[in-house]
Amino acid sequence: LKATLQNHACLWSHPARFNDPFDSQFKRQWHESLDEFLKGRADIPKALRKSASFQKLMLKDYEANLNQKTYIWELYFAHKLNNTVMLCLTEDHTNLLMWAHYAQIHAGGVIKYRHLPKPINCLLKDTTQVRYTKNIPVFKFTVFFAIAEIAEKIRETADLLWDAYTLTKSYEWRYEKEWRLTLELEEPAQTVLVDFEPAEIAAVYLGCRMSPKNRDEITALVRAEYPHAEIHTAATHNKKFALEFEPIA
């Protein structure tokens, strides 16, 4: 927390450092049935495509085509993921589990960012909401790749696939209410610091277990570097399993 505020920079991380082994790292499942493959072959008469004997003859061609597509897109994912770092954010600063997992078991703090009007290059301008599902997504070639045959649509297809891969997490993590940013680097890195505008800091929340020394130092730092930002300190609620926040005057 203190380093982020002092440096005016956020720490972005490679997905390999995440605590969820599935996050942007699950085994990709590629799917296309023989029927779907043949439907995409406009050069083959419709009646012939439905013939069982013809389908048997086309099986090797279908398998080779599927393997080739899978190989090409696996290379794309491997290269892109290797050079990618992410910044993960939440829309809920009150969640007890989030404080326990990501704020030094309540001894750290939370920074609230805000959107800035254009033309300032705002940190939050490209944030995207994470989706939570019970099953790993299946990448169906007939859905994602139908538009990829058109050259100008290949980038659109790649973006759809990449979003499905990096913005899908297990339903178990839904309490995080996560939003994230991704950044593709020229060279691989485990972490990078990315600057933000001081005006993007809207508030700072100090954990209920933060030491008095750290609380005083961070309060002074915020007042000096971010005089517009609110400062709140957390405390445990007397009647509920919840946190309550009091502003520091």
Side-chain angles (χ1 to χ4, degrees):
L1 174 65
K2 191 183 298 183
T4 299
L5 295 170
Q6 287 174 332
N7 297 326
H8 297 190
C10 294
L11 185 71
W12 297 48
S13 299
H14 187 274
R17 294 173 57 87
F18 293 169
N19 54 8
D20 177 8
F22 292 97
D23 193 342
S24 305
Q25 299 170 83
F26 56 78
K27 182 175 175 58
R28 292 172 287 277
Q29 301 179 73
W30 305 95
H31 175 75
E32 181 180 51
S33 68
L34 179 58
D35 284 342
E36 290 169 333
F37 167 67
L38 291 173
K39 284 179 182 178
R41 292 290 300 272
D43 57 316
I44 301 174
K46 187 174 181 180
L48 191 57
R49 279 183 252 154
K50 293 183 178 181
S51 165
S53 59
F54 178 76
Q55 288 185 4
K56 188 175 181 180
L57 289 172
M58 290 295 294
L59 190 58
K60 284 188 177 180
D61 189 25
Y62 152 72
E63 290 175 346
N65 181 274
L66 181 60
N67 290 336
Q68 182 183 35
K69 285 180 179 177
T70 301
Y71 175 73
I72 291 172
W73 285 96
E74 281 294 322
L75 284 179
Y76 165 78
F77 270 94
H79 172 75
K80 190 173 176 71
L81 187 63
N82 194 44
N83 289 23
T84 292
V85 290
M86 300 181 183
L87 178 66
C88 304
L89 308 163
T90 180
E91 62 185 63
D92 182 9
H93 72 277
T94 67
N95 187 280
L96 291 175
L97 290 177
M98 295 293 282
W99 275 91
H101 293 164
Y102 304 113
Q104 297 176 298
I105 55 173
H106 296 264
V110 172
I111 297 174
K112 179 181 180 180
Y113 296 95
R114 64 180 177 182
H115 283 277
L116 295 181
K118 296 179 179 180
I120 296 176
N121 186 25
C122 179
L123 175 73
L124 302 182
K125 68 182 179 68
D126 294 321
T127 49
T128 309
Q129 193 170 21
V130 170
R131 298 181 292 270
Y132 302 100
T133 64
K134 293 187 177 180
N135 297 308
I136 291 174
V138 175
F139 298 146
K140 295 185 177 182
F141 285 110
T142 48
V143 175
F144 285 107
F145 296 87
I147 60 173
E149 303 301 325
I150 307 171
E152 63 268 22
K153 294 292 187 178
I154 290 178
R155 170 50 57 187
E156 182 179 335
T157 302
D159 289 344
L160 285 171
L161 287 166
W162 182 247
D163 284 352
Y165 186 57
T166 58
L167 295 172
T168 303
K169 294 180 66 172
S170 165
Y171 192 67
E172 300 290 337
W173 297 93
R174 64 193 183 280
Y175 69 88
E176 290 191 339
K177 298 181 181 178
E178 184 180 345
W179 293 69
R180 64 175 41 167
L181 292 147
T182 61
L183 178 64
E184 190 170 359
L185 308 173
E186 293 184 3
E187 298 290 337
Q190 288 297 299
T191 59
V192 295
L193 287 173
V194 178
D195 294 342
F196 56 79
E197 295 289 334
E200 291 182 79
I201 302 298
V204 176
Y205 300 89
L206 310 180
C208 62
R209 288 178 170 174
M210 182 176 285
S211 69
K213 179 177 180 293
N214 282 344
R215 184 177 293 113
D216 291 343
E217 289 179 356
I218 292 173
T219 298
L221 176 60
V222 173
R223 285 174 174 164
E225 299 287 333
Y226 311 93
H228 58 279
E230 299 176 359
I231 309 173
H232 299 260
T233 184
T236 54
H237 199 284
N238 289 331
K239 296 183 179 179
K240 298 185 291 185
F241 292 118
L243 296 173
E244 50 187 359
F245 298 87
E246 292 290 333
I248 296 179

